[in-house]
């Protein structure tokens, strides 16, 4: 059992004895090349130039000629399968702009999963997001292009961990970040995302509120909601925990005039140094509204890439951190998943029923609060 303070970065499916990888890359490539001509093509690149225009600042023409045949094949297959692709804001530009029908943060994608009419959802993001879509739309086929796309937060806690917190703080409601497995959601009272966490916590009818599993999100919310006694599990995001307040201070000193914008999964002293903190979509909205001359996004690298073309007046500067889990999703894996319908996400119906209550309570409360 994961204990408070312990983290492991493996996807649970891979820890299970006898678990086998969904596919291996040579097999995948051989299977695709039997059916599709995926050689780099300047002709297809030119034909899809209207798509390329959304990423021309960050993707070279030579790379686009490599991606374009995949983009064309995936977009055709989507129609055949009556599929939609939900792309998280951390997807690479060729996925985010090339093949996604909807892009967004965790909350937006969870809500979109309930609204789309399609038979198939392809989740371009990480495993917990696909599970959330399946929980909300059990009748749909949900495909995960790579089952190894996990999340350090989701790995940090099990349902037993939630029960341990309930024993420690009897009667306190459990507000669980969506970055968790279905079992953990099922053991919780309500979910939250980074875009509604403070409001969800503030709305709980209890002085003490348990937040799992992100210690930093909890500590950031505690500052925003001082009327609550917030206690937390000690999970963390391997991408955002790497930033330090000193990094930000040094950057500001050496690059005056840069707007620093941090995700709330960063430690609180990092958030305190930033000019703004918000969910991935909150960050996009802030930069779009404010249009600072120079911006440093203290979050995953693809965020700046994905908004670069729509904001030519903003110079995105400085370092970023890559999420190794999000980066497991590639065009060729998406094409393979859709072509062979592999990577179907299943959630035990009895777990899904309980988990749905936690997710639906969050969606309903968010609507009620106008978030
Ligand atoms: P958002 O809900 O802000 O998109 O965050 C999801 C995530 O995994 C950030 O690391
Ligand atoms: Fe999980 Fe962090 Fe990657 Fe988001 S960025 S999916 S929280 S490991």
């Amino acid at each position: 059992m994961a204990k408070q303070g312990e983290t492991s970065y493996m996807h649970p499916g891979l820890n299970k004895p006898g678990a086998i990888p969904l596919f291996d890359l040579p097999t995948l490539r051989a299977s695709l090349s039997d059916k599709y001509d995926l050689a780099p093509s300047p002709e297809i690149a030119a034909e899809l130039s209207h798509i390329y225009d959304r990423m021309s600042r960050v993707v070279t023409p030579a790379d686009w000629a490599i991606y374009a045949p995949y983009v064309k094949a995936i977009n055709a297959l989507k129609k055949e399968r009556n599929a939609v692709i939900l792309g998280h804001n951390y997807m690479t530009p060729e996925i985010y702009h090339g093949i996604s029908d909807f892009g967004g943060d965790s909350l937006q994608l969870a809500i979109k999963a309930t609204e789309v009419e399609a038979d198939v959802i392809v989740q371009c993001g990480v495993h917990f997001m696909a599970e959330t879509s399946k929980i909300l739309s059990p009748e749909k086929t949900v495909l995960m292009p790579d089952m190894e796309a996990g999340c350090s937060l989701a790995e940090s806690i099990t349902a037993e961990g939630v029960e341990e917190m309930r024993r420690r703080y009897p009667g306190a409601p459990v507000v669980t970040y969506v970055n968790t497995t279905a079992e953990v959601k099922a053991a919780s009272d309500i979910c939250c995302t980074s875009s509604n966490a403070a409001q969800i916590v503030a709305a709980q009818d209890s002085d003490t509120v348990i937040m799992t599993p992100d210690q930093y999100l909890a500590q950031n919310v505690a500052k925003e909601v001082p009327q609550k006694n917030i206690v937390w599990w000690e999970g963390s995001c391997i991408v955002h925990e790497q930033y330090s307040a000193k990094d930000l201070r040094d950057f500001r000193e050496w690059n005056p005039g840069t707007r620093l914008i941090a995700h709330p999964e960063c430690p609180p002293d990092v958030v305190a140094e930033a000019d703004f903190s918000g969910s991935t979509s909150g960050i996009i909205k802030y930069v779009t509204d404010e249009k600072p001359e120079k911006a440093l996004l203290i979050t995953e690298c693809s965020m700046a890439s994905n908004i670069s073309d729509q904001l030519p007046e903003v110079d995105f500067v400085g370092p970023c951190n890559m999420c190794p889990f999000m980066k497991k999703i590639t065009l060729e894996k998406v094409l393979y998943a859709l072509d062979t319908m592999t990577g179907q996400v299943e959630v035990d119906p009895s777990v899904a029923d309980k988990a749905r209550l936690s997710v639906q309570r969050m969606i309903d409360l968010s609507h009620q609060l106008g978030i």
Side-chain angles (χ1 to χ4, degrees):
M1 185 184 90
K3 290 202 184 71
Q4 192 178 9
E6 280 184 1
T7 49
S8 102
Y9 303 137
M10 291 281 288
H11 186 267
L14 299 175
N15 293 335
K16 283 184 188 139
I20 46 162
L22 181 63
F23 49 71
D24 58 80
L25 275 180
T27 309
L28 175 152
R29 285 182 183 144
S31 149
L32 289 181
S33 64
D34 282 349
K35 262 182 122 166
Y36 300 93
D37 181 1
L38 297 166
S41 166
E43 292 75 28
I44 299 177
E47 183 190 325
L48 302 184
S49 62
H50 59 290
I51 299 179
Y52 179 59
D53 287 345
R54 297 176 214 150
M55 56 186 118
S56 62
R57 239 181 126 190
V58 288
V59 172
T60 65
D63 281 338
W64 179 239
I66 294 171
Y67 298 143
Y70 288 89
V71 169
K72 186 172 179 174
I74 291 167
N75 286 337
L77 203 47
K78 266 192 325 199
K79 290 200 184 107
E80 229 175 87
R81 299 260 190 261
N82 190 24
V84 297
I85 295 185
L86 303 183
H88 185 262
N89 291 329
Y90 290 165
M91 289 293 100
T92 48
E94 70 278 10
I95 291 178
Y96 192 76
H97 292 299
I99 59 169
S100 301
D101 297 286
F102 303 99
D105 67 13
S106 305
L107 179 63
Q108 290 169 327
L109 295 185
I111 292 174
K112 199 42 89 180
T114 65
E115 295 171 348
V116 293
E117 295 278 322
D119 298 318
V120 179
I121 292 176
V122 184
Q123 197 85 33
C124 288
V126 290
H127 190 269
F128 77 80
M129 296 177 178
E131 248 187 11
T132 307
S133 291
K134 184 68 184 175
I135 289 165
L136 292 171
S137 304
E139 73 294 349
K140 293 192 178 93
T141 300
V142 177
L143 299 180
M144 187 64 210
D146 188 333
M147 290 290 188
E148 290 183 35
C151 168
S152 66
L153 281 167
E155 296 305 310
S156 71
I157 187 164
T158 61
E160 288 80 21
V162 174
E163 295 315 326
E164 190 183 314
M165 292 299 274
R166 285 195 195 278
R167 279 192 294 277
R168 269 192 235 168
Y169 304 98
V174 178
V175 177
T176 282
Y177 199 30
V178 282
N179 295 39
T180 44
T181 60
E183 287 78 8
V184 169
K185 290 182 176 81
S188 306
D189 296 299
I190 187 165
C191 286
C192 72
T193 71
S194 55
S195 60
N196 59 20
Q199 293 91 330
I200 299 268
V201 166
Q204 297 308 300
D205 189 16
S206 164
D207 289 341
T208 298
V209 177
I210 299 167
M211 284 190 78
T212 68
D214 187 347
Q215 58 182 309
Y216 297 130
L217 179 70
Q219 288 162 25
N220 287 317
V221 168
K223 284 190 171 177
E224 275 189 72
V225 192
Q227 69 274 26
K228 298 286 183 197
N229 171 34
I230 297 173
V231 293
W232 54 79
W233 188 259
E234 287 182 11
S236 55
C237 161
I238 53 166
V239 173
H240 293 95
E241 73 180 353
Q242 290 178 47
Y243 293 102
S244 77
K246 184 177 180 314
D247 293 340
L248 270 69
R249 279 195 297 275
D250 287 349
F251 195 87
R252 215 190 267 289
E253 193 184 322
W254 300 331
N255 304 274
T258 303
R259 209 75 70 86
L260 307 185
I261 304 153
H263 193 277
E265 288 170 10
C266 294
D269 57 340
V270 171
V271 169
E273 289 292 337
D275 297 297
F276 175 79
S277 172
S279 74
T280 55
S281 289
I283 291 173
I284 293 175
K285 183 171 180 329
Y286 177 84
V287 186
T288 306
D289 291 349
E290 295 278 315
K291 294 192 179 48
E293 212 173 293
K294 284 186 286 176
L296 170 59
L297 305 192
I298 300 139
T299 185
E300 216 276 342
C301 297
S302 288
M303 279 282 293
S305 311
N306 287 335
I307 53 176
S308 222
D309 276 73
Q310 78 197 47
L311 294 168
E313 57 277 78
V314 182
D315 199 3
F316 291 97
V317 295
C320 59
N321 289 329
M322 199 90 97
C323 173
F325 304 110
M326 291 277 181
K327 265 49 215 186
K328 284 193 175 287
I329 307 301
T330 61
L331 286 174
E332 64 179 1
K333 290 178 190 169
V334 174
L335 179 57
Y336 182 81
L338 254 182
D339 182 56
T340 57
M341 296 298 283
T342 29
Q344 298 194 16
V345 173
E346 298 298 343
V347 182
D348 180 315
S350 63
V351 174
D353 286 347
K354 287 192 193 145
R356 192 174 309 114
L357 287 177
S358 294
V359 180
Q360 197 59 53
R361 279 186 199 122
M362 167 189 77
I363 293 176
D364 293 345
L365 188 51
S366 296
H367 284 322
Q368 223 174 296
L369 297 169
I371 302 164

